[in-house]
Amino acid sequence: MDSEGRAPTSATARPANRNATILGRIRLTGIVRAITGLRIGGAAGGLAIGALDNPVVRDPLTNQPYVPGSSLKGKLRSLSERIEGLTTNWRINNVYIHVCAGDRQDGRNPTYDNCPVCPVFGVPGDQYPSAPTRLVVRDAFLTESSVRELEALRLDLPYSEIKWEAAIDRVTSAAVPRQVERVPAGAAFACEMVYTLYEPRDVDRFWTVARALALLEDDYLGSYGSRGSGKVRFENLTLSVRPRPHYDQPVAQLPQRTFDSVDALLAARDDVLAWLREAAGLAGQAG
Ligand SMILES: [Zn+2]
């Protein structure tokens, strides 16, 4: 024990600054609508002749296509890294992402606090951030009305269409047809993100998420984006705030605000940040 009665820390103990207290949470819900056909790849159907080589990812229980939270979050992170011009230095499988790498020796991460990306989207578990990942992105499933609409269409496959594309042989100019499975344009997925506030300045960091939604609308989700697939739009965005006391004594009506579009949300930035701070009970606390 030291003079303050604390147990000595072992070599493997995490530094004290990893303690994190939940101050509140922001829940963001909305619709992700496919404006063009959407292809988020699942496992290939095997090498048998005639097997589809580009299937979409499906929920095994319902056979319905969905947008994995990891795909959505990964895209939001990558766009946030790119608008900030951050170096991508961390390899995950075949892609590189930006990570503010910590110092394993003294458990410090000097750049993390001011990084617009890492506190929001997280860093690998063996690094030393000062708090855990703020943003959780849930898997986004088709809305009930979208399920009914897609079932009413006579599609090539359950809830999806086959698009034929031609790959052009660069030497012979011969067109090589290939199949791509896509969720048809118009499909709507219900998305939910939960953002945890660990310190007052996390309210401001939330804007990284809002901005990433706008960046994604001008980019694409899934693959074949440069050839037209994957344009999405966010609709009916609702922000609701769960201040910390809510988890002990839930209130019936949480403070919430709805925005028709990402642009409407972005246009109200200062107003929204002030409201979030107030609703989370963090008004007047230093960022
Ligand atoms: Zn960083």
Side-chain angles (χ1 to χ4, degrees):
M1 295 283 179
D2 66 12
S3 61
E4 291 175 41
R6 291 178 303 217
T9 51
S10 71
T12 55
R14 289 174 167 181
N17 68 0
R18 284 192 65 122
N19 290 346
T21 306
I22 295 171
L23 302 180
R25 286 190 153 126
I26 299 168
R27 183 165 172 262
L28 170 74
T29 59
I31 297 294
V32 191
R33 188 176 297 281
I35 304 300
T36 63
L38 184 62
R39 185 191 168 277
I40 297 185
L47 295 174
I49 292 170
L52 202 66
D53 57 353
N54 285 310
V56 300
V57 60
R58 290 172 185 275
D59 176 358
L61 287 178
T62 61
N63 207 29
Q64 292 165 7
Y66 72 101
V67 178
S70 55
S71 299
L72 190 49
K73 188 179 178 189
K75 190 73 194 198
L76 296 174
R77 179 185 193 123
S78 129
L79 291 166
S80 299
E81 289 170 357
R82 276 193 266 158
I83 199 168
E84 295 289 344
L86 295 169
T87 312
T88 51
N89 56 343
W90 194 271
R91 185 176 172 175
I92 297 180
N93 298 324
N94 289 321
V95 296
Y96 281 84
I97 64 168
H98 153 79
V99 166
C100 284
D103 182 336
R104 288 163 199 262
Q105 303 307 312
D106 68 3
R108 287 221 209 106
N109 199 337
T111 54
Y112 174 89
D113 268 349
N114 294 315
C115 178
V117 170
C118 292
V120 173
F121 292 96
V123 298
D126 61 349
Q127 293 300 309
Y128 287 105
S130 62
T133 305
R134 273 74 171 173
L135 183 66
V136 168
V137 181
R138 311 268 193 225
D139 291 344
F141 297 99
L142 283 169
T143 61
E144 278 180 36
S145 61
S146 220
V147 166
R148 283 195 301 272
E149 282 169 26
L150 293 174
E151 283 174 346
L153 294 171
R154 297 181 61 177
L155 294 166
D156 310 298
L157 289 167
Y159 313 100
S160 71
E161 62 185 6
I162 304 292
K163 179 171 181 279
W164 284 91
E165 291 195 341
I168 307 299
D169 186 298
R170 296 297 189 270
V171 177
T172 66
S173 295
V176 183
R178 65 177 170 195
Q179 303 171 307
V180 175
E181 183 186 4
R182 304 197 307 179
V183 180
F189 299 85
C191 89
E192 181 189 61
M193 303 183 195
V194 180
Y195 179 93
T196 303
L197 305 167
Y198 291 104
E199 51 184 336
R201 68 188 288 191
D202 285 338
V203 174
D204 297 290
R205 286 179 173 132
F206 178 73
W207 218 252
T208 294
V209 180
R211 185 178 57 170
L213 300 181
L215 289 165
L216 176 53
E217 287 189 340
D218 285 341
D219 208 270
Y220 60 89
L221 192 57
S223 45
Y224 300 105
S226 69
R227 279 167 277 152
S229 294
K231 178 177 164 71
V232 294
R233 186 172 64 211
F234 292 92
E235 299 170 356
N236 297 333
L237 293 166
T238 299
L239 289 178
S240 65
V241 178
R242 290 151 193 246
R244 191 178 172 195
H246 167 76
Y247 291 97
D248 293 318
Q249 204 165 20
V251 295
Q253 189 56 53
L254 288 163
Q256 74 175 43
R257 290 182 66 168
T258 300
F259 302 87
D260 290 342
S261 64
V262 174
D263 283 351
L265 170 62
L266 290 189
R269 175 185 170 138
D270 291 346
D271 180 33
V272 170
L273 288 177
W275 169 74
L276 289 172
R277 211 169 277 119
E278 179 78 33
L282 300 173
Q285 295 194 35

